[in-house]
Amino acid sequence: GEDILWNIQLINNNEKENPKHYASDFSMVDVLPYNGDQRIDPNTNNEGSKFSGNLYYKNIQIDLSKSPTTLQRLKNGTANFYYTTETAVRNADESQLLGTQSKGNINWTKVNLTINNNIATISLPTNAIAVKLTTRLLWEEEIRLDMTANLVVASQQVVDDRYHNQAFVYNGNGGKSS
């Protein structure tokens, strides 16, 4: 029944990939771990998540203290946070995730954020299985997402359960894995 914690850091500071220090427009997608997800834990080489029950996002906080641009964009609606309940998100390609495909696009629901100083807090329904943040980062800006999940029925968690998470960033040129 213990919480599953992870964080995602989004930073626009890669001199090799961005030598002209351009702003980066992107969507970050995080899908909750699921059985058969084929994600590899680099520390143990265990392949795929393996657990009983279903996960839900318990809490998500976004630290925007190093990204005033995203903070302002979330406030004025030019950046947004979304969730989906569609299991098709697990196998969707970039165009389906971004909504540019002629069919099979993932339906995303916009989330109302609570912003206090530089921290945005997100509450999601328990049937949300993936989230998407769409924004822009200026050169050397950084966003940190602290995420908490747990099993819908906490008593289903047992010793040796495995939860492998992986987030992707998309900007229309292919996804980049965390």
Side-chain angles (χ1 to χ4, degrees):
E2 293 207 19
D3 287 340
I4 303 154
L5 309 171
W6 70 99
N7 67 61
I8 299 168
Q9 291 175 289
L10 304 164
I11 307 169
N12 183 7
N13 68 352
N14 189 321
E15 188 75 41
K16 183 179 176 185
E17 291 185 19
N18 188 3
K20 295 190 179 188
H21 305 176
Y22 290 128
S24 177
D25 294 310
F26 65 92
S27 291
M28 182 281 305
V29 176
D30 180 79
V31 179
L32 281 174
Y34 58 93
N35 287 316
D37 58 22
Q38 300 177 358
R39 300 168 187 169
I40 307 263
D41 179 345
N43 297 319
T44 63
N45 280 331
N46 284 331
E47 182 176 329
S49 297
K50 182 176 174 274
F51 58 95
S52 297
N54 294 306
L55 293 177
Y56 74 101
Y57 288 105
K58 187 173 179 180
N59 186 21
I60 299 175
Q61 287 193 326
I62 307 174
D63 182 344
L64 300 159
S65 59
K66 294 180 181 177
S67 182
T69 303
T70 297
L71 177 61
Q72 186 57 44
R73 289 173 64 86
L74 286 169
K75 287 180 177 179
N76 71 22
T78 55
N80 289 294
F81 198 88
Y82 305 89
Y83 75 90
T84 187
T85 60
E86 296 182 26
T87 56
V89 72
R90 294 173 175 161
N91 299 307
D93 63 26
E94 179 180 16
S95 61
Q96 292 167 319
L97 293 169
L98 299 180
T100 59
Q101 185 69 273
S102 60
K103 61 180 180 175
N105 290 327
I106 300 301
N107 293 310
W108 296 96
T109 302
K110 185 178 171 186
V111 175
N112 292 321
L113 305 170
T114 302
I115 299 175
N116 187 5
N117 294 321
N118 295 317
I119 303 294
T121 303
I122 294 107
S123 295
L124 298 171
T126 56
N127 62 342
I129 60 168
V131 295
K132 178 173 82 167
L133 170 65
T134 300
T135 192
R136 164 182 284 180
L137 281 179
L138 298 183
W139 178 250
E140 293 190 334
E141 283 191 323
E142 175 182 342
I143 300 169
R144 179 185 169 112
L145 293 93
D146 291 309
M147 307 175 93
T148 306
N150 207 321
L151 288 165
V152 174
V153 179
S155 64
Q156 290 179 320
Q157 191 176 61
V158 297
V159 174
D160 293 329
D161 279 355
R162 298 191 308 257
Y163 309 94
H164 299 308
N165 193 59
Q166 191 172 31
F168 288 87
V169 173
Y170 299 97
N171 64 4
N173 299 312
K176 185 168 188 142
S177 169
S178 58

